[in-house]
Amino acid sequence: MKPLDLSLYLVLDPDLCGGPANMISTARLAAKNGATVVQLRAPNWKKRQWLETASALKVALEPFAVPLIINDHVDIALAVDADGVHVGQDDLPAGVARRLIGPDKWLGLSISTAEEMREVPHDLVDYLGIGPVYPTGTKTDAAPATGLPAFAELVAASRRPVVAIGGIHAGNCLALMQAGAQGVAVVSAICGQGDPARATAVLLAEIRKGSPA
Amino acid sequence: MKPLDLSLYLVLDPDLCGGPANMISTARLAAKNGATVVQLRAPNWKKRQWLETASALKVALEPFAVPLIINDHVDIALAVDADGVHVGQDDLPAGVARRLIGPDKWLGLSISTAEEMREVPHDLVDYLGIGPVYPTGTKTDAAPATGLPAFAELVAASRRPVVAIGGIHAGNCLALMQAGAQGVAVVSAICGQGDPARATAVLLAEIRKGSPA
């Protein structure tokens, strides 16, 4: 089991990256330059495409010991022996996902509201993704943005480490760390950037300013 | 493991049935009136909806000993302990699906062409779905229709039982049985029909005319 450092959590997007080959090169550049987790998220893909890309990502990330998390599709995570699964409110419940992946894989859960926080099975999940904190154009079915104060309240209510997501860039990630996040998840701040390596390094430097020493 | 009788294989469609509750009542009526297999296919659903509907279907079908097959999503099949999985050419490869579900579940594979037939791992699959035999409006990404002669050739080349699919109704299922099919798969011939019980019974009577004695 690879250690889970949530500091800079890259969520790969097929459209922003420009297809599978670019997703893999983006993931490699990001991992090399400080991304600590990579999640594959492709809500419109068929499973054959999922399997091929997840397999290639696993190989690409191996040299960096960066865990690969699979969004939503537990069967793909099982098929490629990924490091974990991330589920949202419309996906398999955390309890079902945990039962299928077993105790030795990372499990993350997305929440957006205090009500969803009250329902979190803290004993079954390893971390929470909370957001969108800021408005985002990446996820078309995203909940309304929480804003920073509500995000901080949700973090305070969590008994698991929290990664912030939604509208995050180098200019606002320090504030999220100071609000209690263990890390930030980004999509467009790395995917499709002209220089993903540099974008990653800049983000990481900002995040480190807010990390517990 | 429930026996697999392919004679009348109902593929449930959310839109034609008019939502999950009607899918379950349609499945129950069909099973009661002679459907021998039920597959849940819902390419646009999120997994939470999949899980809830698959769980309810399993309960609904239990009294009739009709196997429940899950299209595409192996994780859902595992979560509800369904009787099997059906995969297409863009889904998980049969070998991966078989590895995940183990030896004691049914596995079906869709093919449309002689080339796909040559690639079939006959030792890993329990049956083939071949089609669309006739043009169909149900599956928007379906391959071109094979027509009856090419269907018969594909059946002859198969080392596994074949269920015909695509544009099938009471008027053409006898011809498909006579072409070597072990059964027929229908969607719109049952889903959304005013009287699904009667539609099922009529189809079954036609199919039985063509069954080996």
Side-chain angles (χ1 to χ4, degrees):
Chain A
M1 215 174 169
K2 295 192 185 78
L4 186 66
D5 173 353
L6 295 170
S7 300
L8 179 48
Y9 186 129
L10 169 62
V11 180
L12 288 171
D13 181 272
D15 297 331
L16 290 174
C17 285
N22 287 338
M23 292 168 88
I24 293 156
S25 61
T26 299
R28 192 184 288 116
L29 284 169
K32 191 175 175 182
N33 287 276
T36 55
V37 186
V38 171
Q39 181 190 122
L40 178 56
R41 180 178 178 278
N44 299 321
W45 277 4
K46 302 283 286 178
K47 301 255 182 175
R48 189 69 61 99
Q49 181 70 72
W50 261 101
L51 182 71
E52 289 169 3
T53 307
S55 300
L57 274 174
K58 201 189 163 194
V59 172
L61 294 175
E62 200 58 47
F64 307 103
V66 166
L68 173 64
I69 306 290
I70 300 295
N71 185 282
D72 182 16
H73 293 296
V74 172
D75 43 10
I76 299 295
L78 294 171
V80 306
D81 190 28
D83 301 289
V85 166
H86 188 94
V87 291
Q89 297 291 319
D90 294 331
D91 301 334
L92 286 177
V96 175
R98 174 57 79 197
R99 179 163 59 82
L100 294 176
I101 62 177
D104 297 332
K105 299 289 183 185
W106 301 115
L107 179 60
L109 172 64
S110 289
I111 69 146
S112 302
T113 66
E115 189 182 345
E116 288 168 0
M117 176 62 88
R118 281 190 290 274
E119 304 294 322
V120 170
H122 281 89
D123 52 327
L124 296 176
V125 302
D126 298 299
Y127 72 92
L128 297 179
I130 300 184
V133 184
Y134 302 110
T136 171
T138 303
K139 190 166 187 282
T140 50
D141 61 343
T146 64
L148 193 60
F151 172 77
E153 283 175 31
L154 289 167
V155 173
S158 176
R159 289 185 277 122
R160 290 292 183 189
V162 167
V163 61
I165 190 165
I168 298 174
H169 51 74
N172 59 21
C173 52
L174 179 56
L176 294 161
M177 299 299 289
Q178 289 168 339
Q182 206 77 22
V184 300
V186 299
V187 190
S188 63
I190 293 180
C191 294
Q193 293 289 323
D195 187 345
R198 181 165 163 72
T200 303
V202 170
L203 283 163
L204 188 69
E206 282 301 305
I207 291 161
R208 291 290 182 230
K209 289 183 195 165
S211 297
Chain B
M1 213 173 172
K2 294 192 186 76
L4 186 66
D5 173 354
L6 294 170
S7 301
L8 180 47
Y9 186 128
L10 170 62
V11 180
L12 288 171
D13 182 272
D15 297 331
L16 290 175
C17 284
N22 287 340
M23 292 168 88
I24 292 157
S25 61
T26 299
R28 192 184 289 114
L29 284 170
K32 192 175 174 183
N33 287 276
T36 55
V37 186
V38 171
Q39 181 191 122
L40 178 56
R41 181 178 178 279
N44 300 321
W45 277 4
K46 302 283 286 179
K47 302 254 184 179
R48 189 68 61 99
Q49 181 70 72
W50 261 100
L51 183 72
E52 288 168 5
T53 307
S55 301
L57 275 174
K58 202 189 163 193
V59 172
L61 294 175
E62 200 58 47
F64 307 104
V66 166
L68 173 65
I69 306 289
I70 300 295
N71 185 283
D72 183 17
H73 293 297
V74 172
D75 44 10
I76 298 295
L78 294 171
V80 306
D81 190 27
D83 301 289
V85 166
H86 188 95
V87 292
Q89 296 291 319
D90 295 331
D91 301 335
L92 286 177
V96 175
R98 174 58 78 196
R99 178 163 59 81
L100 293 177
I101 62 177
D104 296 331
K105 300 288 183 186
W106 301 115
L107 179 59
L109 171 64
S110 289
I111 69 145
S112 301
T113 66
E115 189 182 347
E116 287 168 1
M117 176 62 87
R118 282 191 290 276
E119 304 293 323
V120 170
H122 280 89
D123 52 327
L124 297 176
V125 302
D126 298 299
Y127 71 92
L128 297 179
I130 300 185
V133 184
Y134 302 110
T136 170
T138 302
K139 190 167 186 280
T140 51
D141 61 344
T146 64
L148 193 60
F151 172 77
E153 284 175 30
L154 289 168
V155 173
S158 176
R159 289 186 278 123
R160 290 293 183 189
V162 167
V163 61
I165 191 164
I168 297 174
H169 51 75
N172 60 19
C173 51
L174 178 56
L176 293 161
M177 298 300 288
Q178 289 168 339
Q182 206 78 22
V184 300
V186 299
V187 190
S188 62
I190 294 180
C191 293
Q193 293 291 322
D195 187 344
R198 179 164 165 71
T200 304
V202 170
L203 283 163
L204 188 69
E206 283 301 305
I207 291 160
R208 290 292 183 230
K209 289 183 196 166
S211 297

